Amino acid sequence: MSGIDYRNSGVDIDEGLRAVDLMKKEVKKTFNSNVLSELGHFGGLFKAEFPGMAKPVLVASMDGVGTKLKVASLMGDYSTVGSDLVNHCVNDILVQGANPLFFLDYIACGKLEASVAAQIVTGLAKACSENGCALLGGETAEMPGFYNAGDYDVAGTIVGSVDQNSIIDGSAILPGHKIIGLPSSGLHTNGFSLARAVLFEKAGLSVSDHHPLLGGESVGEALLKVHLSYLSSMKPLLAGNLVSGMAHITGGGIPGNLIRVLPAGCGALITPGWNVPPIFKLIKELGGISEIEMRRAFNLGAGFLITTAHPDEVTEILLQAGEKPFPAGEIVSGDSVKYSGGGV
Amino acid sequence: MSGIDYRNSGVDIDEGLRAVDLMKKEVKKTFNSNVLSELGHFGGLFKAEFPGMAKPVLVASMDGVGTKLKVASLMGDYSTVGSDLVNHCVNDILVQGANPLFFLDYIACGKLEASVAAQIVTGLAKACSENGCALLGGETAEMPGFYNAGDYDVAGTIVGSVDQNSIIDGSAILPGHKIIGLPSSGLHTNGFSLARAVLFEKAGLSVSDHHPLLGGESVGEALLKVHLSYLSSMKPLLAGNLVSGMAHITGGGIPGNLIRVLPAGCGALITPGWNVPPIFKLIKELGGISEIEMRRAFNLGAGFLITTAHPDEVTEILLQAGEKPFPAGEIVSGDSVKYSGGGV
């Protein structure tokens, strides 16, 4: 009876080391003068220096890519999920006024292919560089029996900082403030289980299929569009103290996310009419999904919302930053998020 | 044609909210005066105050539980994997001299059961409390099609702090320093794919089976023993500046982990002879696994190694802390980790 070793148990340590070698260069590019550690140490080291902040506060958030990864797997393209994850996390702490410092990733799969893991981490590193944060560490786990061949789960943690006096928690929001939206690129990283159920299972489409509603784009291309980071567009607004609240529109849609920052006594009246990417219309039509369910599951073209007492100035600055802001409604007296009309 | 909604696509938002409700109380118990945020915000807020540190440095690490989760799933007991993960992460940054500040978790599954997610998070919260760190945030993701029914992947990020002058990176290690080991409880969180392949697939055992080598314990009980945290035992040694280096023995075993802290010119001669938990003997015997493979895959009873110029004092302090330290070898001139003898 022959012996058994780690490789024939389904875990290939050498392939793991090859993946690390492939990632190293890209990860190192994200390191700035605050990073004290070399790769390969147990933990990543980052100087806790916060120049110009009277009362520095760390802001941390963890998230995953969700089943958008299934689309990446079907497309055989893991180059963009890194940006999806980093940009998602950057936006999540941006709503509290925080600037990212560093990021750590977790990649898990059933059978590690060094090239795929390297493709994911390269994407993470690229997005970290774009958002000015260091990719400080990570874990790549090969877990045979847990994941289907070709499937990779990807999650990550972001840590940023904000001066305590500059934390934005929505308490400054007042009735009469305008709500300004920033366009999403598509689904970003939310609603993919519903989208897959409708497009692939119910309608029988595949990622390479086309549909008149999508113009020249394939279904997979429309679904895989990268989650946008709003950090660089928002920085001048935050510096100018022009914003009373922000919401990153993820799972739960506008109703589920805007409500999280509204203070007692404040509701919102959303006025649809902005450009809704065609992929949402396709999902609604093919799935026979109600308007209310669409609003709860998807961002519907509004990736980020800003509440402000200075809508003209905010709009002007966002236009200068290259954004395409749109009016999305108004803060009203109340305690809920309502819509003035339809639709997708 | 009936419509489709998020619930029949496999994602149950209400079950997710129930899980969050069940977790809240336990998570709140971990909050200390440094935590500024309430649950439900986008990111967790933690005061960046480092009293007594001249040059504070953040130390961050991310890890998963690996396929120990399969054993938890087979046992129907997710109460201990939280401690496994938190204690693993605490040890990972402890080797650099860091004290934990906060932790964030990621839980992913195919079909969310609120009670299971709550059991996992309760375990995470308990371990966070024991290690004096806040459970600052987390993400629970339901990803239909990604995970088998009953399977949960659990990963987490720890962030701690250390004064730059107190960082332990192994550069103070010199030939002649003694290596002292601290007992593991068993496999901790490494080597489970190999252990499962041997015990369940090759030998055909189940988690409820018994074996003479294991005494009264079932196979599942022996495998599921909780990963130990060495933080409280190590604190007096670090305060007394008695340690030149530390290694947390995880995947790669002693050879793969001790080597990471040895400076140029230093190797190690490991002298086996400490108590090896019987589960390792069982795996070796039933799998026909070589000694060298066992050493690479498992901790073999040595969960944590300390290098020191003051072995007697270190041993005395560890005994007073309730540990059972054992001599594990010596630092020698060289560049590799060698063994003076066998065996498991």
Side-chain angles (χ1 to χ4, degrees):
Chain A
M1 210 162 95
S2 72
I4 199 166
D5 68 10
Y6 227 132
R7 187 170 310 190
N8 59 40
S9 76
V11 172
D12 189 341
I13 293 177
D14 293 330
E15 187 75 359
L17 294 174
R18 266 193 297 281
V20 170
D21 271 342
L22 287 170
M23 297 165 185
K24 264 189 178 169
K25 210 177 99 190
E26 294 304 321
V27 173
K28 273 221 146 181
K29 282 186 197 162
T30 73
F31 284 10
N32 55 35
S33 61
N34 283 316
V35 177
L36 295 175
S37 47
E38 289 295 306
L39 295 168
H41 274 278
F42 287 87
L45 302 172
F46 195 93
K47 278 191 212 171
E49 289 177 355
F50 309 94
M53 288 193 193
K55 290 183 174 181
V57 172
L58 298 171
V59 187
S61 184
M62 185 154 192
D63 222 310
V65 182
T67 58
K68 188 172 192 171
L69 290 160
K70 272 281 181 198
V71 180
S73 175
L74 291 168
M75 300 276 285
D77 179 4
Y78 279 102
S79 66
T80 53
V81 295
S83 293
D84 285 320
L85 181 59
V86 172
N87 292 346
H88 183 132
C89 289
V90 164
N91 294 340
D92 265 354
I93 64 168
L94 172 61
V95 296
Q96 292 166 302
N99 213 36
L101 298 172
F102 58 83
F103 189 90
L104 298 99
D105 70 277
Y106 172 74
I107 301 174
C109 57
K111 181 80 200 121
L112 182 68
E113 289 170 82
S115 61
V116 174
Q119 196 181 32
I120 295 171
V121 175
T122 299
L124 290 165
K126 182 173 155 279
C128 281
S129 293
E130 287 167 0
N131 288 285
C133 73
L135 184 49
L136 195 62
E139 164 76 0
T140 302
E142 192 171 23
M143 294 167 65
F146 239 81
Y147 298 91
N148 302 314
D151 273 359
Y152 287 75
D153 195 10
V154 185
T157 300
I158 199 160
V159 176
S161 63
V162 60
D163 201 343
Q164 193 167 341
N165 303 320
S166 304
I167 292 173
I168 295 182
D169 60 6
S171 58
I173 296 176
L174 290 171
H177 284 192
K178 298 297 182 190
I179 305 171
I180 293 172
L182 294 177
S184 68
S185 64
L187 273 66
H188 283 182
T189 50
N190 290 96
F192 274 86
S193 294
L194 179 54
R196 285 163 51 229
V198 168
L199 298 172
F200 302 150
E201 288 165 37
K202 187 168 185 182
L205 294 169
S206 77
V207 288
S208 57
D209 280 338
H210 287 75
H211 189 281
L213 268 178
L214 297 181
E217 263 175 359
S218 72
V219 171
E221 285 165 353
L223 289 174
L224 216 55
K225 287 211 169 161
V226 171
H227 198 132
L228 301 175
S229 163
Y230 300 101
L231 176 63
S232 64
S233 304
M234 291 304 301
K235 272 189 179 174
L237 297 182
L238 296 177
N241 203 19
L242 288 165
V243 164
S244 56
M246 290 172 276
H248 182 206
I249 309 306
T250 57
I254 291 178
N257 287 286
L258 184 56
I259 198 78
R260 294 162 74 182
V261 294
L262 296 180
C266 282
L269 183 67
I270 303 298
T271 51
W274 61 83
N275 179 46
V276 176
I279 184 73
F280 295 115
K281 295 171 189 170
L282 187 65
I283 293 168
K284 183 170 196 287
E285 193 177 300
L286 295 179
I289 303 175
S290 70
E291 187 82 27
I292 199 166
E293 182 70 16
M294 288 296 293
R295 288 173 176 162
R296 200 182 180 207
F298 298 111
N299 67 60
L300 299 181
F304 200 83
L305 295 184
I306 303 151
T307 66
T308 177
H310 316 279
D312 295 340
E313 204 175 338
V314 163
T315 301
E316 182 56 33
I317 291 171
L318 288 168
L319 286 168
Q320 280 170 17
E323 283 285 354
K324 292 178 177 169
F326 51 82
E330 188 171 348
I331 301 299
V332 294
S333 294
D335 59 4
S336 63
V337 175
K338 294 186 174 152
Y339 283 71
S340 72
V344 176
Chain B
M1 209 160 95
S2 73
I4 199 166
D5 69 11
Y6 226 131
R7 185 170 313 189
N8 58 40
S9 77
V11 172
D12 189 341
I13 292 177
D14 293 329
E15 187 75 0
L17 294 175
R18 265 193 298 281
V20 170
D21 271 342
L22 288 170
M23 300 164 184
K24 264 188 179 170
K25 210 176 97 190
E26 294 304 320
V27 173
K28 272 223 146 181
K29 284 187 198 161
T30 72
F31 284 10
N32 55 35
S33 61
N34 282 316
V35 177
L36 295 176
S37 47
E38 289 296 306
L39 294 167
H41 273 280
F42 287 87
L45 302 173
F46 195 93
K47 277 191 213 172
E49 289 176 356
F50 309 94
M53 289 194 192
K55 290 182 173 181
V57 172
L58 298 171
V59 187
S61 185
M62 186 155 192
D63 222 312
V65 182
T67 58
K68 188 172 192 172
L69 290 161
K70 273 279 181 200
V71 181
S73 174
L74 291 168
M75 300 276 285
D77 179 4
Y78 279 102
S79 66
T80 52
V81 295
S83 292
D84 285 320
L85 181 59
V86 172
N87 292 347
H88 183 133
C89 289
V90 164
N91 294 340
D92 265 354
I93 65 167
L94 172 62
V95 296
Q96 292 168 304
N99 212 37
L101 298 173
F102 59 84
F103 189 89
L104 297 101
D105 70 278
Y106 172 74
I107 301 174
C109 58
K111 179 80 200 123
L112 182 67
E113 288 171 82
S115 60
V116 175
Q119 195 182 32
I120 296 171
V121 175
T122 299
L124 289 164
K126 182 173 155 278
C128 281
S129 292
E130 286 167 3
N131 288 285
C133 73
L135 183 48
L136 195 61
E139 163 77 0
T140 303
E142 191 170 23
M143 295 168 64
F146 239 80
Y147 297 90
N148 302 315
D151 273 359
Y152 287 74
D153 195 10
V154 186
T157 299
I158 199 162
V159 176
S161 63
V162 60
D163 200 344
Q164 192 166 344
N165 303 319
S166 304
I167 292 173
I168 295 182
D169 60 4
S171 57
I173 295 175
L174 291 170
H177 285 191
K178 298 297 183 192
I179 304 171
I180 292 173
L182 294 177
S184 68
S185 63
L187 273 65
H188 282 183
T189 49
N190 290 97
F192 275 86
S193 294
L194 179 52
R196 286 164 48 230
V198 168
L199 299 173
F200 302 149
E201 288 165 37
K202 189 169 184 181
L205 294 170
S206 77
V207 287
S208 56
D209 280 338
H210 287 74
H211 188 281
L213 267 177
L214 297 181
E217 263 175 359
S218 72
V219 171
E221 285 165 353
L223 288 173
L224 215 55
K225 287 211 168 164
V226 171
H227 198 130
L228 301 175
S229 164
Y230 301 101
L231 177 64
S232 64
S233 305
M234 291 304 299
K235 271 188 181 175
L237 296 182
L238 296 177
N241 204 18
L242 289 165
V243 164
S244 58
M246 290 171 275
H248 181 206
I249 308 307
T250 58
I254 292 178
N257 287 287
L258 183 56
I259 197 78
R260 295 162 75 182
V261 294
L262 296 180
C266 281
L269 184 66
I270 303 298
T271 51
W274 62 83
N275 179 48
V276 177
I279 184 72
F280 296 116
K281 295 171 189 170
L282 187 65
I283 293 169
K284 183 170 196 287
E285 193 176 299
L286 295 179
I289 303 175
S290 70
E291 187 82 27
I292 197 165
E293 182 69 17
M294 288 297 292
R295 288 173 176 163
R296 202 183 178 205
F298 298 111
N299 68 60
L300 299 180
F304 200 83
L305 296 184
I306 303 152
T307 65
T308 177
H310 316 279
D312 295 339
E313 204 174 337
V314 163
T315 301
E316 182 55 33
I317 291 172
L318 288 169
L319 286 169
Q320 281 170 15
E323 283 283 354
K324 293 179 178 169
F326 51 82
E330 188 170 348
I331 301 298
V332 295
S333 295
D335 59 2
S336 63
V337 175
K338 292 184 174 152
Y339 283 71
S340 71
V344 177

